[in-house]
Amino acid sequence: MTTQFHRFSAIAAGAAALLVLQGCSSYVSRGITDDGKATEVVFPNIDNDAWLKEGTFPNLDNLRAVAPGVTKDQLYDLLGRPHFSEGIAGPREWDYIFHFRKAGGGVTTCQYKAIFDKDYKAQTFHWLPAGCSDVLAARAVPAVERPAAASPAAAPRRTTLGADGLFRFDGGSIADLLPEGRRKLDALAADIKATDAVKVIGHTDRLGSQAYNNALSLARANTVRSYLAQAGVPARNIQVQGRGESEPKVQCTQTRRAELIDCLAPNRRVEIEVSGER
């Protein structure tokens, strides 16, 4: 009698264990095929069927790693054991309760189901509500920040002052500056004080030797620089160049010297280029 009782108990225990392994829930999906699809997906009731009613906050990277073909061991490793009493080995579907934090605050609760094929590899995955699948959308990867494209540099503002209005003829020093030339430089200094860069370029006509004209053009540029600096333009912002007779504005063929000097007047000049105005 005792032996028969123990044998019956063992059979009952084995049957109970088998039911656990195979799953004994009444909420299984219907029409599950060998390839892991269902004709009707049925989700369990959280209040009545879940053993872990509080659910979990899943690791989104792990959740994104779930894909058709994962085994139960792999799914267990990624998401943990299912949250309903479905058993571990035999059932063809696992159910979870997942919570996701909203960007503006609060929590969204979703149910997640994996359905396995005949070899117990998960093949299809389902959400309740269906919109919960949006959490798997690829994360927006911040674009590499690129420096804003620099605006095309504005062309330097150029002012041309005739040397004949600035200096006595053939002169290039401070002492050679004419009253009208000083007034022009005073007005120019007031206009260009708030700049980052000033370039003063001296030019001459072709009369005289090249070496002489180079020296004269540079002397005139340096004189203008000194005057502008005294008038308040930062000296460190002013560069000078002397280009001599190399960049004529006009070509003259007069044979009389006075007429030739008059014709060549546009070539005797000082150019002021201003850039980086603030």
Side-chain angles (χ1 to χ4, degrees):
M1 181 71 176
T2 302
T3 301
Q4 290 179 343
F5 175 79
H6 286 303
R7 184 179 300 170
F8 177 81
S9 298
I11 293 173
L18 182 60
L19 284 174
V20 170
L21 288 174
Q22 292 179 338
C24 56
S25 61
S26 60
Y27 49 77
V28 294
S29 298
R30 297 177 178 85
I32 296 179
T33 62
D34 287 348
D35 58 355
K37 298 177 182 178
T39 57
E40 181 183 355
V41 176
V42 178
F43 282 90
N45 182 284
I46 293 177
D47 292 331
N48 297 334
D49 302 315
W51 68 265
L52 188 65
K53 291 180 174 56
E54 64 270 25
T56 59
F57 286 84
N59 180 301
L60 278 178
D61 288 332
N62 287 359
L63 196 53
R64 292 188 182 99
V66 176
V70 296
T71 66
K72 288 192 172 184
D73 286 340
Q74 292 167 338
L75 194 62
Y76 185 96
D77 184 59
L78 289 169
L79 305 180
R81 60 179 297 188
H83 299 161
F84 295 80
S85 303
E86 299 165 306
I88 298 298
R92 295 278 300 278
E93 52 192 331
W94 280 6
D95 288 273
Y96 293 87
I97 304 165
F98 289 148
H99 305 296
F100 304 99
R101 299 194 186 281
K102 299 178 182 178
V107 173
T108 296
T109 297
C110 303
Q111 286 184 246
Y112 180 73
K113 178 188 289 288
I115 297 181
F116 301 91
D117 62 19
K118 64 183 178 61
D119 297 317
Y120 299 106
K121 292 182 179 179
Q123 298 296 348
T124 59
F125 308 91
H126 309 271
W127 289 93
L128 184 69
C132 288
S133 61
D134 292 344
V135 300
L136 297 182
R139 288 170 296 179
V141 179
V144 176
E145 292 188 6
R146 298 178 179 85
S151 300
R157 180 163 61 94
R158 178 172 295 180
T159 300
T160 300
L161 301 176
D164 292 356
L166 287 177
F167 299 95
R168 293 186 179 91
F169 182 74
D170 212 25
S173 66
I174 288 287
D176 294 321
L177 279 172
L178 299 171
E180 180 61 23
R182 291 174 183 269
R183 284 192 291 272
K184 289 181 180 179
L185 291 178
D186 285 337
L188 179 64
D191 185 45
I192 67 174
K193 285 181 181 178
T195 58
D196 291 328
V198 179
K199 183 183 292 184
V200 180
I201 307 166
H203 301 269
T204 68
D205 61 24
R206 61 181 171 80
L207 301 177
S209 70
Q210 183 177 0
Y212 176 82
N213 288 330
N214 287 342
L216 179 60
S217 65
L218 183 58
R220 286 175 172 173
N222 275 317
T223 295
V224 171
R225 176 183 185 275
S226 297
Y227 194 95
L228 294 175
Q230 291 174 9
V233 180
R236 66 180 180 277
N237 293 349
I238 308 174
Q239 297 180 345
V240 297
Q241 291 182 3
R243 296 182 182 173
E245 61 191 74
S246 64
E247 298 178 3
K249 289 280 191 180
V250 296
Q251 299 293 338
C252 300
T253 59
Q254 285 81 353
T255 56
R256 294 183 179 182
R257 182 175 175 78
E259 293 177 355
L260 182 60
I261 290 174
D262 286 344
C263 178
L264 292 172
N267 296 343
R268 299 185 295 273
R269 67 196 189 276
V270 175
E271 295 174 338
I272 297 92
E273 293 182 359
V274 177
S275 59
E277 297 182 64
R278 298 189 293 274

